[in-house]
Amino acid sequence: QVFPSQDPLDRADFNAVEYINALFPTEQSLANIDEVVNKIRLKIRRLDDNIRTVVRGQTNVGQDGRQALEEAQKAIQQLFGKIKDIKDKAEKSEQMVKEITRDIKQLDHAKRHLTTSITTLNHLHMLAGGVDSLEAMTRRRQYGEVANLLQGVVNVLEHFNKYMGIPQIRQLSERVKAAQNELGQQILADFEEAFPSQGTKRTGGPSNVLRDACLVANVLDPRIKQEIIKKFIKQHLSEYLVLFQENQDVAWLDKIDRRYAWIKRQLVDYEEKYGRMFPPEWCMTERIAVEFCHITRAELAKIMRTRAKEIEVKLLLFAIQRTTNFEGFLAKRFSGCTLADGTVKKPEVPPPSTNPFLEDETGTETDEIVIEKSDTDKPKKPKVPDNPFHGIVSKCFEPHLYVYIESQDKNLGELIDRFVADFKAQGPPKPNVDEGGAVLPSCADLFVYYKKCMVQCSQLSTGEPMIALTTIFQKYLREYAWKILSGNLPKTTSSSGGLTITSLLKEKEGSEVAKFTLEELCLICSILSTAEYCLATTQQLEEKLKEKVDASLVERINLTGEMDTFSIVISNSIQLLVQDLDAACDPALTAMSKMQWQNVEHVGDQSPYVTSVILHIKQNVPIIRDNLASTRKYFTQFCIKFANSFIPKFINHLFKCKPISMVGAEQLLLDTHSLKMVLLDLPSIGSQVVRKAPASYTKIVVKGMTRAEMILKVVMAPHEPPVVFVDNYIKLLADCSTDTFQKILDMKGLKRSEQSSMLDLFRLRLPAPPPGGDNTGSLSLSTPTPEQESSRIRKLEKLIKKRL
């Protein structure tokens, strides 16, 4: 089959009999047989014409193809011939051009060689004369003229690098090197004479000769320049090493200001006396300051190792403050260009300091660093995110920052103890005075202190001390959660677990269970709100710590455990609120299960126990909702947990109501519907602003209370005939547990013999469990569809109206 076709004649399994029967289904249809035959003949003629046309067309195709192939071969041969002609002509043209330009090329080469020879001779003349003048000027110490001449001679000598095999050129090169060496030694001797390294007294001073000598040193070997710089700086700072020796009183940290005052005076003195002697590009002032910093760092590190026991946190922070101020002064004064030299390692630039908790942090806030109660413990450190001198001296304090960390540990311990004492003294938040459910003020104080500690430590070091500080933070976050939050949660009488004789007697007497007071409810909500604030802020704290610490240490910062601790406090607080309301409803449910439901004669208004449950809900829920207004999601969690706790308990108490008459079941059905309406309205009960309850909560209430209503509907159904009763039970409850069915039979008050036959029938009528399924779960309900639930609710409402 070449083309798809719907014609029955084209099918592979064509059946002539079926085709004829399809054309003439009845005897009456044979009347138009001539017309059908004519159509088929016409179709045959058309097919013959098509076949003839196709066959004739195919006979001409082969002939046309051969003709086209022959024409293509001829065209290719013509093209090859043309290409060959062009190639031959190009070769002839190239040969002709070479013959024309042969003489011109010879003249070009001669001109180039002649020009090179003249230039080389000129350079040779300049080199020979320059070397003679250089040697003469060196002997006369005419450094000003030597500086320019030497640079020119060196540049000219570079042109003769390829002619060094010629003895005369090599001899001139050696004379230049000798002159350079002689100049270097001579300049060093002049500087040694002007600035002797022995003794601190300077016999010489700046002069024009030395200034010109520095210009010559720029052209000489770089080692000459480095030697001059090294000797001058060493001689300039020799007095510093004597004045601030380790055994001197001024060398200790409490007089660190004197070190920085001394170098500032020296820099001013240098600018006045020697500022014009050295070229500006040598940056001698900055080099003196940098060498001073390296010496100071080494000296401070040595003396602090020797007297480590004498270092106190106040003294350490004072020294760090003064040192970082000096580093800030250097950053303003110098560019830091000399720090890129191979002899000086550029210190790491710390990340810019940012406020970890508030967006509107200003520079003055970062300067306020609280360590002790006195103002002297608040060193104001300049904010220098791009300071190339940061840490050039202050790095020496890093090994001793454990003193600072220990101080923070002690201060935070005292802060937590003060929080505990303040809470005991002031008591829980007053619901009528303070805003109930507000975050405890101690929480904000703790994190403000954390922020200041973190900012200060990041300015001191972003290495291991930050990790140590993070460990301290973790320790006191846990202590705050245990001592301030969990430690102040009200204790429930039933928290110890188990039933006591007293509780049983109280329940028997129908007395009220001990409830939380209004103050205790507000306190629980306040602790919950505080824990939520701590959870969110701890997450921000972790992010900021990771920003400030070195990249290699980021993985070691993990506050997940502390965040989990606050989550546990939140969960415990919600559980306390649920237990309190749940326990308050217990006496009413107990009263429901003890009522004589078989003696109820008529259906009235809702029962007293329902009124009691609604009263407790209306007392507690508005207070909890108002106090958790800022944490709406946790109020929703409270509602969901209460529904998950109360509804199963209510169903269990329903099973204890036995036996139940028809009227009693109707009254219970009315009570269940009333409780369902109250639970659906629970999130906004007693509120002027009516909000729609969350869908997750509504689903739980509808599912649980519908089950309770279905249980009562099964109880109300007649148990005769048994098959209908059992099928109705399976249809309404979809519960395959024999225990639940047994409880239904007990509620109906059937005799044991009747129950036995019913149970046997129930087991027979049970649907086959799915493969691998477990049919033992008494609460494994198949979730009804929303249409089924709404239909059941409408039927239930009609039934209640009818009974009323």
Side-chain angles (χ1 to χ4, degrees):
Q1 183 180 351
V2 180
F3 299 105
S5 173
Q6 301 296 329
D7 194 337
L9 295 171
D10 293 335
R11 292 173 56 184
D13 57 345
F14 174 74
N15 190 322
V17 176
E18 290 181 359
Y19 182 67
I20 293 172
N21 288 337
L23 291 177
F24 306 106
T26 61
E27 292 180 3
Q28 289 78 6
S29 61
L30 292 173
N32 60 349
I33 187 169
D34 294 333
E35 183 182 349
V36 173
V37 169
N38 290 333
K39 285 182 180 178
I40 292 176
R41 286 174 178 169
L42 178 62
K43 190 172 184 179
I44 291 171
R45 282 198 298 274
R46 286 177 180 171
L47 287 172
D48 288 340
D49 292 341
N50 291 339
I51 292 170
R52 191 180 303 110
T53 303
V54 171
V55 170
R56 288 174 179 172
Q58 291 296 325
T59 57
N60 298 331
V61 169
Q63 186 177 353
D64 294 343
R66 284 191 295 273
Q67 185 177 354
L69 180 62
E70 291 172 359
E71 291 176 358
Q73 289 175 343
K74 290 179 182 178
I76 292 171
Q77 289 175 358
Q78 292 175 3
L79 182 62
F80 271 117
K82 290 180 181 179
I83 292 173
K84 187 176 181 183
D85 291 344
I86 292 170
K87 185 177 179 182
D88 293 341
K89 289 178 182 179
E91 290 176 352
K92 291 178 181 177
S93 300
E94 184 180 359
Q95 188 66 29
M96 190 182 301
V97 169
K98 285 182 179 178
E99 291 175 359
I100 293 171
T101 59
R102 184 181 297 127
D103 297 334
I104 298 175
K105 281 185 178 180
Q106 290 178 353
L107 293 173
D108 281 343
H109 289 316
K111 178 184 175 183
R112 190 180 305 115
H113 295 327
L114 186 60
T115 304
T116 305
S117 301
I118 294 171
T119 305
T120 305
L121 286 173
N122 284 335
H123 286 162
L124 182 60
H125 176 71
M126 291 168 58
L127 180 62
V131 171
D132 293 337
S133 301
L134 183 64
E135 291 174 344
M137 291 176 183
T138 300
R139 288 192 293 271
R140 294 195 296 269
R141 283 184 165 79
Q142 295 176 342
Y143 296 134
E145 292 81 2
V146 167
N148 296 324
L149 180 62
L150 179 60
Q151 185 65 55
V153 169
V154 170
N155 292 339
V156 171
L157 189 60
E158 289 177 357
H159 293 284
F160 291 94
N161 286 336
K162 52 188 174 182
Y163 304 120
M164 286 300 170
I166 302 172
Q168 289 82 358
I169 301 297
R170 187 166 59 251
Q171 184 181 2
L172 284 174
S173 175
E174 290 173 355
R175 287 176 62 189
V176 171
K177 289 181 181 178
Q180 286 178 321
N181 292 334
E182 184 181 352
L183 274 171
Q185 297 301 323
Q186 192 170 297
I187 289 172
L188 288 176
D190 291 344
F191 268 95
E192 181 66 28
E193 182 181 350
F195 305 102
S197 57
Q198 299 297 328
T200 58
K201 202 168 182 180
R202 298 167 191 162
T203 58
S207 67
N208 293 334
V209 175
L210 294 181
R211 183 183 63 191
D212 294 338
C214 292
L215 297 176
V216 176
N218 267 338
V219 187
L220 296 174
D221 190 338
R223 287 178 295 180
I224 302 297
K225 171 185 168 182
Q226 292 173 4
E227 187 69 22
I228 293 171
I229 293 172
K230 182 178 177 182
K231 284 189 174 182
F232 181 81
I233 293 177
K234 182 178 179 182
Q235 194 274 342
H236 209 70
L237 295 177
S238 57
E239 181 184 347
Y240 173 68
L241 292 171
V242 176
L243 290 176
F244 294 91
Q245 283 183 0
E246 187 178 349
N247 57 1
Q248 297 294 327
D249 185 49
V250 293
W252 188 228
L253 300 180
D254 58 345
K255 295 184 177 60
I256 199 169
D257 277 343
R258 298 191 183 182
R259 293 177 182 267
Y260 304 132
W262 182 89
I263 189 60
K264 288 177 183 178
R265 290 194 303 270
Q266 291 300 311
L267 293 178
V268 172
D269 180 60
Y270 165 81
E271 291 286 354
E272 292 176 353
K273 292 183 179 180
Y274 309 105
R276 297 182 180 179
M277 188 173 75
F278 295 99
E281 64 269 17
W282 285 21
C283 304
M284 285 299 292
T285 312
E286 182 177 327
R287 292 180 185 275
I288 293 171
V290 169
E291 184 61 24
F292 166 83
C293 290
H294 289 311
I295 294 173
T296 303
R297 183 170 65 184
E299 291 293 316
L300 287 176
K302 184 167 65 174
I303 194 172
M304 283 192 291
R305 281 197 301 271
T306 307
R307 304 171 63 177
K309 294 182 179 180
E310 301 178 34
I311 301 176
E312 297 178 355
V313 67
K314 290 183 181 181
L315 182 62
L316 181 66
L317 291 174
F318 167 79
I320 293 174
Q321 174 211 349
R322 294 295 189 266
T323 302
T324 49
N325 284 344
F326 176 69
E327 291 172 352
F329 161 77
L330 294 180
K332 292 177 183 177
R333 181 80 182 275
F334 306 118
S335 64
C337 60
T338 61
L339 295 175
D341 291 353
T343 55
V344 181
K345 184 181 177 182
K346 186 172 182 179
E348 295 180 359
V349 178
S353 176
T354 57
N355 189 322
F357 308 115
L358 303 175
E359 295 298 329
D360 56 343
E361 181 187 27
T362 62
T364 56
E365 287 177 334
T366 60
D367 291 340
E368 297 173 0
I369 302 168
V370 180
I371 303 301
E372 301 287 344
K373 295 177 183 178
S374 60
D375 292 338
T376 57
D377 297 334
K378 299 179 182 178
K380 292 179 170 50
K381 300 172 72 59
K383 197 175 182 181
V384 281
D386 297 322
N387 180 3
F389 295 93
H390 179 77
I392 192 169
V393 179
S394 56
K395 282 284 183 184
C396 68
F397 297 111
E398 269 200 29
H400 304 278
L401 284 178
Y402 68 88
V403 176
Y404 166 76
I405 301 298
E406 290 172 357
S407 170
Q408 295 307 316
D409 190 0
K410 179 183 176 184
N411 293 337
L412 281 167
E414 293 174 354
L415 192 65
I416 295 293
D417 292 341
R418 180 163 64 81
F419 289 160
V420 173
D422 290 348
F423 191 92
K424 288 180 180 178
Q426 298 171 6
K430 303 296 187 292
N432 297 329
V433 180
D434 303 330
E435 182 184 351
V439 175
L440 296 177
S442 59
C443 172
D445 294 343
L446 179 69
F447 281 107
V448 167
Y449 190 84
Y450 270 19
K451 178 200 72 173
K452 293 176 179 178
C453 291
M454 181 181 66
V455 172
Q456 183 189 32
C457 189
S458 67
Q459 292 171 340
L460 303 180
S461 170
T462 56
E464 287 294 336
M466 280 291 283
I467 301 297
L469 186 68
T470 302
T471 305
I472 299 297
F473 284 174
Q474 290 175 298
K475 172 184 175 183
Y476 288 102
L477 282 174
R478 292 192 297 269
E479 286 210 9
Y480 186 85
W482 294 334
K483 292 184 178 180
I484 308 296
L485 301 182
S486 294
N488 287 310
L489 283 173
K491 302 296 187 292
T492 57
T493 54
S494 59
S495 60
S496 58
L499 292 173
T500 61
I501 297 297
T502 309
S503 64
L504 286 171
L505 288 173
K506 283 188 177 180
E507 183 180 351
K508 193 171 183 180
E509 294 166 4
S511 59
E512 289 290 325
V513 178
K515 287 180 58 181
F516 289 143
T517 62
L518 175 61
E519 291 78 10
E520 289 174 329
L521 286 176
C522 291
L523 173 61
I524 295 172
C525 294
S526 181
I527 289 175
L528 193 154
S529 301
T530 304
E532 188 212 16
Y533 173 83
C534 291
L535 179 62
T537 315
T538 302
Q539 188 173 1
Q540 297 173 15
L541 174 65
E542 182 183 54
E543 293 171 0
K544 294 299 178 181
L545 284 168
K546 287 182 177 180
E547 286 179 14
K548 292 186 176 295
V549 79
D550 291 341
S552 59
L553 302 175
V554 167
E555 295 299 326
R556 293 175 59 184
I557 292 181
N558 186 0
L559 302 184
T560 307
E562 288 63 41
M563 289 187 269
D564 291 344
T565 302
F566 289 117
S567 298
I568 291 171
V569 173
I570 292 172
S571 179
N572 291 343
S573 302
I574 295 175
Q575 194 59 38
L576 275 180
L577 296 172
V578 171
Q579 286 177 2
D580 179 56
L581 183 55
D582 211 16
C585 298
D586 278 349
L589 295 180
T590 304
M592 175 189 80
S593 62
K594 291 182 179 180
M595 284 182 64
Q596 302 297 320
W597 292 103
Q598 75 273 23
N599 297 331
V600 177
E601 297 177 355
H602 61 276
V603 178
D605 202 351
Q606 64 187 26
S607 302
Y609 74 87
V610 176
T611 307
S612 174
V613 170
I614 295 174
L615 177 64
H616 288 305
I617 289 175
K618 287 185 175 180
Q619 284 177 350
N620 279 32
V621 173
I623 297 172
I624 296 171
R625 182 182 59 243
D626 294 343
N627 281 279
L628 295 181
S630 60
T631 56
R632 190 76 189 171
K633 65 177 181 180
Y634 292 118
F635 174 67
T636 303
Q637 283 189 25
F638 159 75
C639 295
I640 291 173
K641 285 191 176 183
F642 174 70
N644 281 328
S645 173
F646 175 79
I647 294 175
K649 187 180 291 187
F650 173 73
I651 291 175
N652 287 334
H653 279 79
L654 267 184
F655 287 136
K656 294 179 183 179
C657 299
K658 56 187 178 182
I660 303 176
S661 65
M662 177 65 70
V663 179
E666 292 174 2
Q667 179 64 51
L668 273 172
L669 195 59
L670 174 65
D671 295 341
T672 302
H673 184 70
S674 300
L675 282 175
K676 179 180 178 181
M677 293 298 104
V678 171
L679 289 175
L680 286 173
D681 191 40
L682 181 73
S684 59
I685 194 166
S687 173
Q688 296 179 352
V689 180
V690 179
R691 289 186 181 180
K692 186 178 179 181
S696 57
Y697 170 75
T698 304
K699 183 178 179 181
I700 291 170
V701 173
V702 169
K703 182 178 178 181
M705 294 306 288
T706 301
R707 173 176 165 78
E709 291 169 344
M710 292 304 110
I711 289 171
L712 291 171
K713 288 187 70 176
V714 172
V715 173
M716 289 169 62
H719 61 276
E720 294 291 345
V723 175
V724 175
F725 177 77
V726 170
D727 289 345
N728 190 40
Y729 168 84
I730 294 173
K731 178 183 176 182
L732 290 177
L733 283 182
D735 191 340
C736 300
S737 168
T738 54
D739 292 341
T740 306
F741 188 67
Q742 176 76 57
K743 291 176 182 177
I744 297 286
L745 298 180
D746 289 341
M747 292 173 72
K748 289 186 68 67
L750 295 182
K751 297 177 182 178
R752 288 295 174 187
S753 57
E754 294 176 330
Q755 290 187 12
S756 177
S757 60
M758 281 281 193
L759 285 170
D760 293 340
L761 182 60
F762 171 71
R763 294 188 184 97
L764 291 173
R765 303 291 293 180
L766 278 178
D774 185 8
N775 62 348
T776 60
S778 62
L779 297 178
S780 59
L781 301 180
S782 62
T783 306
T785 64
E787 291 79 5
Q788 291 174 337
E789 289 181 353
S790 60
S791 174
R792 291 174 182 175
I793 292 170
R794 282 197 297 272
K795 289 179 182 177
L796 180 65
E797 289 175 347
K798 287 180 182 178
L799 177 65
I800 293 171
K801 289 178 181 176
K802 183 179 177 182
R803 292 294 181 183
L804 291 176

